[in-house]
Amino acid sequence: MKNRGFTFVLLLALSLNTSSGQEHLWSDASALTIPHRRFETGFFLTPARYGISDSLEISSYLLWEYFIPNIAVKKFWGLNGDFLISSMHSLYSPTPFLRFVSREKTGGLLPPDNYVPFFLVFDSYLLVSYEIAQGHYATARVGGKLAFALGDRTNDYPAYRRLQTIDYPFIFPRTAFLTKTPAFAPDGGLSGNGPLVWNLEYETSFDFFYFSVRDNLREEDFTCSAFEWSAVMKWHISHGVSGRLGVVYSTGTFPFGRSWVFYPLLDIQIGFGGLPPP
């Protein structure tokens, strides 16, 4: 009897999310792109996106543009059997951020006398999605980051003034590989997303990072890895407003050993356009 009750609730939930879905109006972790002329942006954690066409979108973290200038494109290439294929490519520079946090006062994460070269980072990823149920996608992402230091004069400075690592989960795997450039840092992940009930959706992901690090103080090289899991609930209040609430768990190897931390995820998104004519 309990099994029958559970089955009834599950079928009811599926019928509700099928009838009230947003027909992929909002962006998600799958290989799909947002519709043509659709614009959406978050205020804290999600980038601004614009649909150049139904298969091409551009994006940028506008709030962080001053600290980390960035631009990205996502291209949907089509179907290969039952699999959806896309690629993502971006260009950014973490140099302003690293120089900003090289201070003794509030916000200081690096010694104030650290030399920070001008970095350019290119990243590219292949996304392959599979629709496991109506509106529910499982997506694999594989690729990595390629970093260059332009006009690098690191060798002109003593070891204690060369770039050090920021030993905090979440930041470390995204910046530590810059201590040894040119550098390639592969990473990838698995994600799942889909509708729940009414206008609620879920999104969860598992991401893995693998990279080499140069300990400039000890003048040693070592290899690190990091793992992150996140779970987010989305509430699409309307075609123009959406909220996100979730958590991310980050763990990995550091120069001092292993560490882990939980971070809350909170954002509000607004969007315009992308709807078919009435």
Side-chain angles (χ1 to χ4, degrees):
M1 187 68 181
K2 291 183 179 180
N3 290 336
R4 290 181 180 179
F6 175 78
T7 303
F8 173 76
V9 172
L10 179 61
L11 291 175
L12 177 61
L14 290 174
S15 67
L16 285 171
N17 66 49
T18 299
S19 62
S20 62
Q22 298 283 334
E23 298 181 351
H24 205 266
L25 182 66
W26 293 93
S27 60
D28 57 29
S30 75
L32 295 171
T33 53
I34 59 176
H36 181 211
R37 296 182 179 176
R38 170 72 174 176
F39 173 80
E40 62 180 56
T41 185
F43 289 93
F44 307 109
L45 301 173
T46 49
R49 293 183 174 91
Y50 180 73
I52 301 294
S53 68
D54 284 332
S55 62
L56 179 66
E57 69 179 48
I58 60 172
S59 63
S60 178
Y61 285 89
L62 298 179
L63 183 64
W64 303 103
E65 191 71 32
Y66 177 80
F67 295 103
I68 307 177
N70 64 97
I71 185 71
V73 297
K74 180 179 180 181
K75 171 65 177 177
F76 176 66
W77 296 103
L79 289 167
N80 186 350
D82 293 329
F83 296 94
L84 295 82
I85 311 295
S86 286
S87 63
M88 293 178 59
H89 315 275
S90 72
L91 171 65
Y92 66 95
S93 175
T95 300
F97 167 75
L98 294 173
R99 290 176 178 174
F100 178 79
V101 299
S102 298
R103 56 172 63 193
E104 292 181 346
K105 298 179 181 179
T106 303
L109 300 175
L110 290 171
D113 58 354
N114 256 202
Y115 167 67
V116 181
F118 182 79
F119 293 109
L120 277 181
V121 183
F122 304 85
D123 64 28
S124 291
Y125 298 95
L126 174 68
L127 282 75
V128 180
S129 295
Y130 180 78
E131 191 173 16
I132 56 179
Q134 185 176 0
H136 297 262
Y137 292 91
T139 302
R141 176 181 59 85
V142 61
K145 304 175 181 64
L146 184 62
F148 298 93
L150 304 184
D152 190 5
R153 296 187 293 112
T154 296
N155 293 332
D156 296 341
Y157 292 86
Y160 74 91
R161 290 200 59 190
R162 297 176 185 179
L163 184 64
Q164 298 180 27
T165 58
I166 301 176
D167 299 336
Y168 291 96
F170 194 77
I171 299 178
F172 183 78
R174 291 169 171 83
T175 58
F177 69 97
L178 297 171
T179 58
K180 187 179 179 181
T181 54
F184 177 69
D187 64 84
L190 296 172
S191 63
N193 65 274
L196 292 172
V197 295
W198 301 294
N199 289 330
L200 294 177
E201 291 190 2
Y202 70 91
E203 185 173 294
T204 184
S205 64
F206 301 86
D207 298 307
F208 180 77
F209 303 83
Y210 186 82
F211 48 95
S212 297
V213 178
R214 175 69 176 177
D215 187 329
N216 284 311
L217 292 179
R218 298 187 179 126
E219 298 186 339
E220 296 176 355
D221 296 330
F222 53 95
T223 301
C224 292
S225 61
F227 168 82
E228 291 178 2
W229 167 80
S230 65
V232 177
M233 185 75 70
K234 304 177 184 179
W235 180 22
H236 299 318
I237 302 170
S238 68
H239 293 306
V241 180
S242 180
R244 293 185 174 210
L245 179 64
V247 65
V248 58
Y249 167 75
S250 180
T251 184
T253 56
F254 295 81
F256 54 82
R258 296 195 65 86
S259 182
W260 61 270
V261 69
F262 277 97
Y263 291 106
L265 298 174
L266 174 66
D267 206 356
I268 298 293
Q269 288 180 283
I270 57 174
F272 308 95
L275 294 171

